[in-house]
Amino acid sequence: MEKITYTEIFYSLQGEGKWAGVPSVFFRTYGCNFRCRKFGRPRDEQLEGHNPEVIEIIKNIDQYNKFEDLPLARTGCDSYASIYPEFKRFNEQDSVETIVDKMHDLIPNNRWDQGTGDDVHLVITGGEPLLGYQQLYPDLIEYCRQRGLRNLTFETNGSQPLHPEVYEYLFEEFTRHGRDYDKLTFSVSPKLPCSGEAWESAINPKTVKSYEMVGYTYLKFVVATAQDVADAERAVEEYREAGFGGPVYLMPMGVVPDVYNLNTQQVAQLAMERGWRYSPRLQVDIWRNAWGT
Ligand code: SF4
């Protein structure tokens, strides 16, 4: 039976984007096509290999027994344990059935719908969740729908097209009958040059437009400076030219409170000036971005 490698399954509040504040189960898959080594680091810094903070953590890796023991990184990818092979032993591998059982053990009444009009959302995140496991998702989603799942979000970097079978499944389940389009969300966080990723591989307007054909889709850019926002404007132009019609969010860079708090007011102002939306990071505000939040 095929298994999915994943870093963590946890129950928390969605911290970012359209559904901020909504109780959600997060399923964080392992593996990413990017590294985002430069988040929070000087733009002109030349980096060879890993992010320097990750290099330090790898040097001391034997002192950590489990994923939750790993330190938070202030720069680079905040999900570093989900992307570097050096951390693969901190990840788990389970069948779809086992993963779904673990999700159901976390939520109130072991059900997604709460019988009161409220419901718990499922967020499939990463790493990059639209890499190799896509074809296992229809089964995973179906098992959850049997227990009342209504709202599903993919948090993606927007570089990976949907597999044709997965596209067809999502279209059939959420879109074709016009009922549930807004219950399937693609929260797309394209990587700007401040991440260290190349524009050509990070900005994929046609791919994002194809998500929009099956579910509610928005762009969420992580920014710290006016140059980052100028890059976001250039990217938005490319997405709009491809026909993308969804909203745009700006979210402050910073995965620890002292860095994040430096940026919030400035980013809010920059978003307002453009008629764009602002996304908080509630997991930083409430839980200082601890694992499992
Ligand atoms: S795309 Fe996301 S998960 Fe992948 S390296 Fe960048 S920040 Fe990390």
Side-chain angles (χ1 to χ4, degrees):
M1 185 181 299
E2 256 190 285
K3 294 186 172 183
I4 301 179
T5 306
Y6 64 97
T7 313
E8 53 180 350
I9 300 172
F10 60 94
Y11 179 46
S12 185
L13 298 180
Q14 171 59 275
E16 306 172 1
K18 174 181 165 73
W19 300 109
V22 174
S24 304
V25 170
F26 290 78
F27 176 48
R28 185 183 303 290
T29 59
Y30 172 82
C32 186
N33 53 319
F34 292 152
R35 291 294 178 259
C36 298
R37 297 171 304 152
K38 292 193 71 169
F39 268 140
R41 307 191 70 85
R43 215 167 239 262
D44 54 1
E45 184 183 34
Q46 297 300 317
L47 285 182
E48 300 293 333
H50 294 335
N51 171 291
E53 268 194 87
V54 172
I55 293 175
E56 280 309 303
I57 297 168
I58 290 171
K59 272 188 203 159
N60 299 309
I61 201 163
D62 290 341
Q63 75 185 55
Y64 306 114
N65 293 319
K66 54 186 191 306
F67 166 70
E68 292 82 1
D69 296 338
L70 292 168
L72 294 178
R74 298 168 66 90
T75 61
C77 171
D78 60 350
S79 309
Y80 68 86
S82 305
I83 67 169
Y84 289 110
E86 287 86 343
F87 297 96
K88 203 157 183 190
R89 73 175 168 89
F90 295 94
N91 287 266
E92 301 191 45
Q93 256 196 344
D94 278 319
S95 66
V96 166
E97 288 85 346
T98 303
I99 288 165
V100 170
D101 285 346
K102 288 183 177 180
M103 290 175 179
H104 290 161
D105 284 346
L106 292 173
I107 50 182
N109 309 312
N110 308 115
R111 286 195 64 84
W112 301 90
D113 53 348
Q114 295 297 302
T116 54
D118 291 312
D119 67 314
V120 173
H121 290 200
L122 171 59
V123 181
I124 302 184
T125 188
E128 170 47 53
L130 299 181
L131 288 176
Y133 303 121
Q134 276 196 45
Q135 283 164 279
L136 298 178
Y137 292 160
D139 274 354
L140 186 150
I141 297 164
E142 278 306 302
Y143 285 129
C144 293
R145 279 164 81 86
Q146 286 166 15
R147 292 268 191 110
L149 177 73
R150 295 208 298 258
N151 278 280
L152 167 67
T153 296
F154 288 102
E155 292 185 332
T156 170
N157 61 33
S159 67
Q160 302 300 309
L162 292 169
H163 187 282
E165 281 172 25
V166 178
Y167 182 98
E168 190 50 39
Y169 166 78
L170 294 173
F171 186 74
E172 185 62 37
E173 289 301 311
F174 289 89
T175 316
R176 192 184 300 282
H177 309 295
R179 284 190 315 261
D180 290 336
Y181 177 83
D182 60 348
K183 293 186 169 52
L184 170 64
T185 303
F186 289 87
S187 173
V188 181
S189 186
K191 300 309 171 215
L192 296 172
C194 58
S195 69
E197 297 302 325
W199 189 274
E200 298 67 35
S201 41
I203 307 299
N204 286 269
K206 282 191 184 150
T207 299
V208 172
K209 176 63 196 164
S210 72
Y211 304 157
E212 202 178 27
M213 303 298 284
V214 287
Y216 179 85
T217 303
Y218 61 84
L219 301 170
K220 175 164 55 80
F221 294 99
V222 175
V223 295
T225 65
Q227 177 62 58
D228 299 340
V229 179
D231 290 337
E233 283 180 313
R234 180 183 154 207
V236 169
E237 241 174 71
E238 292 190 17
Y239 287 108
R240 295 287 185 230
E241 275 168 21
F244 172 73
V248 176
Y249 287 76
L250 293 184
M251 185 169 78
M253 196 178 293
V255 295
V256 290
D258 53 337
V259 180
Y260 167 71
N261 290 333
L262 283 178
N263 284 322
T264 49
Q265 282 191 17
Q266 185 198 1
V267 172
Q269 188 64 36
L270 290 164
M272 286 162 61
E273 285 166 10
R274 286 155 183 80
W276 291 349
R277 302 179 185 192
Y278 174 83
S279 170
R281 291 175 182 263
L282 293 183
Q283 67 275 31
V284 180
D285 289 325
I286 302 175
W287 290 291
R288 304 179 72 80
N289 210 25
W291 302 124
T293 64

